[in-house]
Amino acid sequence: MKIKMKIKNEKEETETNPRVVSMNGVSGFWKHPRYENCWIYNGRMPTSNCWIYINDNDVQILNVMVYNPEDRKCGFGSQMISDIRLAFPQIHIWVDTWNCSRPFWQKMKLRGMINSIANDYSWPCANTTCTTCHEDRPDYSRRSRFD
Ligand SMILES: [Zn+2]
């Protein structure tokens, strides 16, 4: 099954930037300048954005960002993911999750906003100050040298 997508250039957006399109009526998808099949969803900027990869049979969401720390856990992330669901109502949407983002994605899966979480193993995020992902790091020993 190939994904049949209605990618429609929105008139005014096309005039300013030919790479911005709407998908199934959800506007704000920007073609990634370098990556094939990759779109940046800016429909919720400046609060949040994310990337999606449109594959033959599925859509992957990645790089979900809610920019202002005060805006996190306020539902902005879920609103954005529900936009993506609206844009791809019949498509299998999946994510890879870090340990700290897994509870969010499990909630999204329960609500039907995504279809699956690809990784079931522990995957610490790149932010070494994230205590959810990095609580078991040997930070203690490193810190103790300076105590
Ligand atoms: Zn983390």
Side-chain angles (χ1 to χ4, degrees):
M1 179 191 78
K2 281 259 177 191
I3 291 179
K4 285 193 209 91
M5 246 196 337
K6 286 175 235 150
I7 298 183
K8 182 188 75 180
N9 285 313
E10 303 234 321
K11 216 192 224 166
E12 44 190 291
E13 284 176 335
T14 313
E15 278 157 21
T16 48
N17 188 331
R19 286 203 305 253
V20 184
V21 302
S22 78
M23 303 197 190
N24 292 324
V26 180
S27 60
F29 290 91
W30 297 52
K31 182 79 194 77
H32 194 287
R34 286 191 305 280
Y35 300 125
E36 195 74 16
N37 303 323
C38 182
W39 297 79
I40 302 162
Y41 178 60
N42 284 332
R44 295 277 176 175
M45 282 300 273
T47 309
S48 63
N49 75 345
C50 63
W51 293 16
I52 58 167
Y53 272 102
I54 301 177
N55 306 309
D56 280 351
N57 298 308
D58 57 73
V59 166
Q60 179 189 8
I61 302 176
L62 67 169
N63 291 344
V64 170
M65 284 291 304
V66 176
Y67 285 97
N68 186 343
E70 285 172 18
D71 285 345
R72 287 175 199 160
K73 307 214 187 272
C74 294
F76 292 108
S78 353
Q79 281 169 22
M80 179 169 66
I81 304 310
S82 69
D83 292 349
I84 306 297
R85 174 46 87 197
L86 273 177
F88 303 96
Q90 309 295 336
I91 307 298
H92 188 100
I93 300 178
W94 65 276
V95 292
D96 274 325
T97 61
W98 292 317
N99 298 351
C100 54
S101 66
R102 192 161 305 139
F104 170 78
W105 289 115
Q106 280 164 343
K107 208 165 61 184
M108 291 303 101
K109 193 181 162 190
L110 271 175
R111 292 186 195 163
M113 296 298 152
I114 61 165
N115 296 88
S116 64
I117 292 170
N119 67 313
D120 55 2
Y121 46 86
S122 172
W123 189 355
C125 69
N127 175 4
T128 53
T129 65
C130 169
T131 50
T132 307
C133 292
H134 302 278
E135 59 184 347
D136 294 331
R137 281 173 67 93
D139 270 5
Y140 304 106
S141 52
R142 236 189 284 160
R143 229 177 271 142
S144 65
R145 282 185 227 145
F146 302 97
D147 279 346

